[in-house]
Amino acid sequence: MIRKLKRRFIALAMASLVVLMTVIVAGMNIINYNTVINEADDKLAALSVNGGMLPFMQNDSFGGMQDDSDWAGPQSGGNASDDAFDDDDWDAWIDDDDYDDIDAATREGLYGRGKPFSSRDEAEETRFFSVLLTAEESVVRANTDRIYAVDDSAAAGYAKKALEAGGESGWVDEYRYAVTDEGTMTRITFLDCSTSLAQFRQFLRASIIMSLAGLLIIFGFICYFAGRIVKPVAESYDKQKRFITDAGHEIKTPLAIIKANIDVMRMDLEDIEAAGKTIAAGDGTRDPQPDSAGAEATENAGNISEYTASLSESLGDIDSQVDRLTSLTNDLVYLSRMEEADNTLTMTEIPVSDIVAETADSFEALAAERKKTLSIDVAPMLTMQGSIKEIEKLVSILTENALKYSPEGDEVKVSLRKEGKTVVLEVRNKAVDPLSDEDLAHVFDRFYRSDKSRNSASGGHGIGLSMASAIVTAHGGKIRARSGDGSEFIVTATMPA
């Protein structure tokens, strides 16, 4: 139990940390990725309103949307050189006042998240290309002057992919694109985001690696301190088990003495009752007594007989309760020993099919006495590593429990089958009263009883299923209780074959 508690504590702590670290790492990387997208969209918006070009590629400092025939720069053969655009022109271009002629929506797109370029150097380093298409999606011209990895043919291919993807913006490979309507034409501007995406991926890998390393370190700390955290619980539980074991042994002695005294008292009562009958009948050696004396003797003999019968009944009740208390004590000691951490059963290869069949068969008479039928379905030739004594006790507990808590005329079914690498022992019976989920969740708790069918009137003391659970656990298996529609009670024990 303590090991299970420790494992659950570690699992819960690590699950909480994993969730927390996942949220943090995912949140940081989502923010980082959105930053990459937002910065790319800002730059694309600035390029789009400038005809798919930087400002110094135009004939004036900002200029209006010009025809493609006016591409500037030495590579394009335009009618202006880069020197025509100086630093003052750049400062004017990034000033809000120079965007008065731009519509409000575009202006909000450009400045809603900050300036598109912080300096001319950043603008010079920007790699992009644009493609102008007709309404029929025919390529009119592609401008690849600001990028060397893409030629005009490749640019046209990227444009077609962007049109197929749809939308006003998106991704084609590592290029972020924006679609702009220019009258009867459509311009698609692509921005190379490979550097930003590489940095994003590098940060993603680093954050994942650091998170995993942190989790491993924290896992080590939790494993180290988990023992100390559950130590008070373990000590308390060990004391409880030792108390049950010691108290059980101490209780056995007075119970044995009480049992012996009951037997002595019964013999004394038999002697008293026999003496009373002798007095009433006369021993044949004395003269006949007067009628009055004989009547008195007869009356005294009757009183003695009535008194001894009453005492005999009381002694019978005491004897039955002593037996019940002895059984409870033995079961508690057994359960305590089964749950001890250092308790190891002697496991051997056992014919579990034969054990289950023979043990269940022994309850045929009890089932008939209680006007119930016992159905046994055991797959032949099954074996497992286990203890014969404990498996016999497991079958006895489950079968007796089913016979005890089922209605008259019910059919109790005991079955054993093999599923994969496990053997499955199942006992099912009709429930006297409907079983709730709460009942099923606690049936393996010590002394648990539902309000109706599982009460003390049935003669049990509420730890049989706890013992069954301890036996299955000691064999490395699992046990569970279920009820399909509330009318059945099904206990399934799964153990390694």
Side-chain angles (χ1 to χ4, degrees), residues 2-41:
I2 298 302
R3 290 180 181 177
K4 186 182 293 185
L5 178 63
K6 184 178 178 180
R7 288 195 295 266
R8 287 182 178 178
F9 172 78
I10 294 173
L12 179 61
M14 288 305 300
S16 302
L17 285 173
V18 168
V19 172
L20 178 62
M21 293 298 292
T22 301
V23 170
I24 293 175
V25 172
M28 290 190 303
N29 284 279
I30 289 173
I31 293 173
N32 192 16
Y33 183 70
N34 286 334
T35 300
V36 172
I37 293 177
N38 292 337
E39 290 178 353
D41 288 344

Side-chain angles (χ1 to χ4, degrees), residues 33-89:
Y33 183 70
N34 286 334
T35 300
V36 172
I37 293 177
N38 292 337
E39 290 178 353
D41 288 344
D42 289 344
K43 292 178 181 180
L44 284 171
L47 295 171
S48 296
V49 299
N50 205 46
M53 296 175 286
L54 290 171
F56 45 81
M57 295 174 64
Q58 298 274 5
N59 286 330
D60 53 18
S61 61
F62 176 74
M65 296 296 182
Q66 300 188 9
D67 187 84
D68 270 3
S69 61
D70 292 330
W71 287 98
Q75 293 180 5
S76 62
N79 52 14
S81 67
D82 287 347
D83 295 335
F85 190 88
D86 56 21
D87 291 339
D88 293 335
D89 294 328

Side-chain angles (χ1 to χ4, degrees), residues 322-385:
V322 168
D323 290 340
R324 177 179 169 83
L325 186 57
T326 301
S327 175
L328 174 59
T329 303
N330 292 334
D331 288 347
L332 284 173
V333 173
Y334 175 85
L335 182 59
S336 180
R337 286 178 177 173
M338 288 295 296
E339 292 180 343
E340 288 179 359
D342 57 351
N343 176 61
T344 54
L345 298 175
T346 302
M347 300 290 188
T348 58
E349 189 80 11
I350 61 174
V352 65
S353 294
D354 297 338
I355 295 171
V356 172
E358 292 173 5
T359 306
D361 282 339
S362 65
F363 286 88
E364 289 280 4
L366 180 61
E369 179 185 341
R370 297 183 178 181
K371 298 180 180 179
K372 302 171 186 179
T373 57
L374 184 61
S375 172
I376 303 172
D377 181 16
V378 176
M381 306 298 292
L382 297 183
T383 61
M384 63 174 286
Q385 289 289 326

Side-chain angles (χ1 to χ4, degrees), residues 104-121:
T106 304
R107 210 162 40 242
E108 181 179 356
L110 289 171
Y111 288 97
R113 295 177 295 270
K115 296 294 192 296
F117 302 101
S118 60
S119 65
R120 183 171 180 177
D121 288 337

Side-chain angles (χ1 to χ4, degrees), residues 178-492:
V179 181
T180 307
D181 289 332
E182 295 185 1
T184 59
M185 302 272 189
T186 299
R187 185 182 300 278
I188 305 179
T189 307
F190 293 85
L191 181 68
D192 183 6
C193 299
S194 57
T195 302
S196 299
L197 291 175
Q199 292 174 350
F200 163 74
R201 295 189 188 103
Q202 183 178 5
F203 180 80
L204 176 63
R205 287 193 296 268
S207 61
I208 292 176
I209 292 172
M210 292 300 295
S211 299
L212 293 176
L215 286 174
L216 288 175
I217 294 173
I218 294 174
F219 177 72
F221 276 104
I222 291 177
C223 290
Y224 177 75
F225 287 105
R228 296 188 177 186
I229 293 173
V230 301
K231 185 177 181 180
V233 179
E235 291 178 349
S236 176
Y237 187 67
D238 288 338
K239 289 178 181 178
Q240 176 188 351
K241 289 190 294 184
R242 283 198 299 271
F243 169 77
I244 293 174
T245 303
D246 296 342
H249 288 299
E250 293 297 327
I251 291 173
K252 285 181 180 180
T253 301
L255 288 177
I257 294 173
I258 294 173
K259 187 80 170 176
N261 285 322
I262 290 173
D263 293 337
V264 172
M265 292 177 68
R266 279 177 171 167
M267 289 188 293
D268 292 342
L269 286 176
E270 290 176 359
D271 293 341
I272 293 172
E273 187 175 1
K277 291 179 179 179
T278 300
I279 294 172
D283 56 8
T285 60
R286 299 178 182 178
D287 295 334
Q289 298 181 2
D291 293 341
S292 59
E296 183 178 354
T298 302
E299 181 180 356
N300 290 335
N303 291 336
I304 291 173
S305 178
E306 182 179 351
Y307 174 71
T308 55
S310 176
L311 283 180
S312 180
E313 183 179 354
S314 298
L315 288 175
D317 292 339
I318 295 172
D319 194 19
S320 64
Q321 293 304 314
V322 168
D323 290 340
R324 177 179 169 83
L325 186 57
T326 301
S327 175
L328 174 59
T329 303
N330 292 334
D331 288 347
L332 284 173
V333 173
Y334 175 85
L335 182 59
S336 180
R337 286 178 177 173
M338 288 295 296
E339 292 180 343
E340 288 179 359
D342 57 351
N343 176 61
T344 54
L345 298 175
T346 302
M347 300 290 188
T348 58
E349 189 80 11
I350 61 174
V352 65
S353 294
D354 297 338
I355 295 171
V356 172
E358 292 173 5
T359 306
D361 282 339
S362 65
F363 286 88
E364 289 280 4
L366 180 61
E369 179 185 341
R370 297 183 178 181
K371 298 180 180 179
K372 302 171 186 179
T373 57
L374 184 61
S375 172
I376 303 172
D377 181 16
V378 176
M381 306 298 292
L382 297 183
T383 61
M384 63 174 286
Q385 289 289 326
S387 168
I388 295 178
K389 180 181 177 182
E390 310 309 327
I391 295 299
E392 287 176 348
K393 193 172 188 66
L394 172 64
V395 178
S396 298
I397 290 172
L398 296 181
T399 307
E400 184 179 6
N401 182 80
L403 292 172
K404 187 180 295 182
Y405 298 114
S406 57
E408 189 174 298
D410 183 32
E411 180 184 15
V412 175
K413 299 179 181 179
V414 179
S415 64
L416 181 73
R417 62 183 182 275
K418 186 175 182 181
E419 292 184 359
K421 296 182 178 180
T422 62
V423 292
V424 180
L425 173 65
E426 185 174 272
V427 179
R428 60 172 63 202
N429 61 277
K430 292 290 184 181
V432 176
D433 296 290
L435 294 169
S436 65
D437 292 338
E438 182 181 0
D439 292 332
L440 295 173
H442 296 285
V443 291
F444 298 108
D445 295 347
R446 296 182 186 181
F447 304 109
Y448 177 80
R449 302 176 188 274
S450 65
D451 293 336
K452 297 179 181 179
S453 63
R454 306 180 68 81
N455 53 56
S456 58
S458 60
H461 35 66
I463 64 171
L465 291 180
S466 299
M467 295 166 61
S469 177
I471 293 172
V472 174
T473 302
H475 282 80
K478 295 181 179 179
I479 189 169
R480 65 188 183 100
R482 58 190 173 90
S483 178
D485 55 0
S487 63
E488 271 192 313
F489 182 64
I490 306 168
V491 179
T492 305

